[in-house]
């Protein structure tokens, strides 16, 4: 395939949207979290930290068996919290394993626990002085959280975190499939209308 044609094909296929908040670039991309070349990717893990399906399984397969050896030593993780490991064979140097809640529409604790999972990842990234982090849509697969509600929580928690100064220069949301990606794009566009700190770049 000629280079120009190849570039055009990549441009159509690779959906992405970028915004700036103070000194941090906030990106949404449609893609695979295991391919992200960032300081840390976030895993949507379960309390055992011993691997599972969905994004958890994909991360363990791509990182190799050393990741399970390390997570076995961590003694699990409570819902709403997160723990750090190395990234092993992943392009990302580290993995932050976050445990989001199982969705229960009548439980008022559920939104708080999802926000806490995102906040703990950002706090760990800050403690480690990371410059870049990539998140999947935590709890929106097997754990059943509706994509639009989870997206609001992910973005509000991130914006609240960015009220303080941070080492993070790139926060990327990696969405698996076009429907999840468009939920993020639409939510950001709506939030940018009322939040003057949020500048949509493209
Ligand atoms: P949870 O148990 O927290 O719901 P899942 O892994 O079942 O976690 O799903 C979380 C989200 O991650 C879902 O929206 C799913 O489509 C998405 N997902 C699955 N695999 C990947 C991947 N390789 N990269 C990015 N997102 C992924």
């Amino acid at each position: 395939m000629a280079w120009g044609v190849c570039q055009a094909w990549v441009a159509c296929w690779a959906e992405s949207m970028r915004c700036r908040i103070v000194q941090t670039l906030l990106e949404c991309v449609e893609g695979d979290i295991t391919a992200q070349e960032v300081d840390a990717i976030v895993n949507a893990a379960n309390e055992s930290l011993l691997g599972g399906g969905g994004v958890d399984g994909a991360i363990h397969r791509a990182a190799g068996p050393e990741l399970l050896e390390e997570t076995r030593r961590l003694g699990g993780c409570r819902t709403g919290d997160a723990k750090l490991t190395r990234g092993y064979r992943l392009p990302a140097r580290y993995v932050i394993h976050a445990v989001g809640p199982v969705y229960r529409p009548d439980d008022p604790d559920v939104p708080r626990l999802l926000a806490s999972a995102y906040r703990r990842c950002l706090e760990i990234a800050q403690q480690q002085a990371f410059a870049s982090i990539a998140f999947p849509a935590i709890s929106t697969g097997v754990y059943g959280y509706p994509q639009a509600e989870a997206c609001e929580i992910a973005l509000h928690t991130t914006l609240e975190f960015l009220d303080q100064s941070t080492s993070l220069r790139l926060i990327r949301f990696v969405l698996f499939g076009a429907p999840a990606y468009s939920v993020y794009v639409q939510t950001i566009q709506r939030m940018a209308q009322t939040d003057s700190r949020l500048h949509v770049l493209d």
Side-chain angles (χ1 to χ4, degrees):
M1 193 188 300
W3 178 237
V5 176
C6 174
Q7 274 183 318
W9 181 77
V10 169
C12 309
W13 178 75
E15 293 277 17
S16 74
M17 177 203 207
R18 296 184 313 148
C19 333
R20 185 174 49 74
I21 301 153
V22 197
Q23 290 192 324
T24 303
L25 196 62
L26 199 146
E27 257 182 16
C28 296
V29 302
E30 191 189 331
D32 180 351
I33 195 100
T34 65
Q36 306 302 311
E37 295 181 23
V38 285
D39 290 332
I41 60 168
V42 172
N43 182 13
N46 57 54
E47 285 193 336
S48 77
L49 296 186
L50 299 179
V55 75
D56 199 1
I59 288 174
H60 275 270
R61 276 193 299 279
E66 297 91 342
L67 179 59
L68 184 57
E69 279 171 34
E70 186 175 355
T71 57
R72 268 192 223 285
R73 294 195 296 269
L74 296 177
C77 180
R78 296 176 77 132
T79 299
D81 201 357
K83 290 192 179 176
L84 182 72
T85 66
R86 290 170 56 198
Y88 300 98
R89 298 176 205 175
L90 288 162
R93 288 194 297 140
Y94 292 91
V95 180
I96 303 175
H97 304 263
V99 184
V102 174
Y103 184 65
R104 289 180 301 270
D106 301 327
D107 184 343
D109 255 2
V110 160
R112 180 186 65 74
L113 288 167
L114 185 60
S116 169
Y118 277 97
R119 193 176 317 106
R120 287 293 301 130
C121 294
L122 293 163
E123 284 168 2
I124 290 170
Q126 176 72 19
Q127 281 157 9
Q128 299 291 325
F130 291 161
S132 53
I133 186 170
F135 284 98
I138 300 171
S139 285
T140 64
V142 172
Y143 281 6
Y145 219 115
Q147 193 67 248
E149 285 176 46
C151 170
E152 289 273 344
I153 292 171
L155 293 173
H156 275 117
T157 307
T158 303
L159 287 182
E160 206 174 274
F161 179 81
L162 291 174
D163 277 343
Q164 59 188 353
S165 73
T166 174
S167 60
L168 284 166
R169 292 292 168 267
L170 172 67
I171 300 177
R172 180 179 291 155
F173 292 94
V174 181
L175 291 321
F176 210 51
Y181 172 76
S182 21
V183 166
Y184 270 72
V185 170
Q186 283 164 22
T187 308
I188 288 178
Q189 280 166 345
R190 181 165 41 75
M191 285 167 70
Q193 287 171 2
T194 52
D195 190 330
S196 58
R197 297 172 311 150
L198 193 54
H199 300 280
V200 178
L201 302 174
D202 51 37

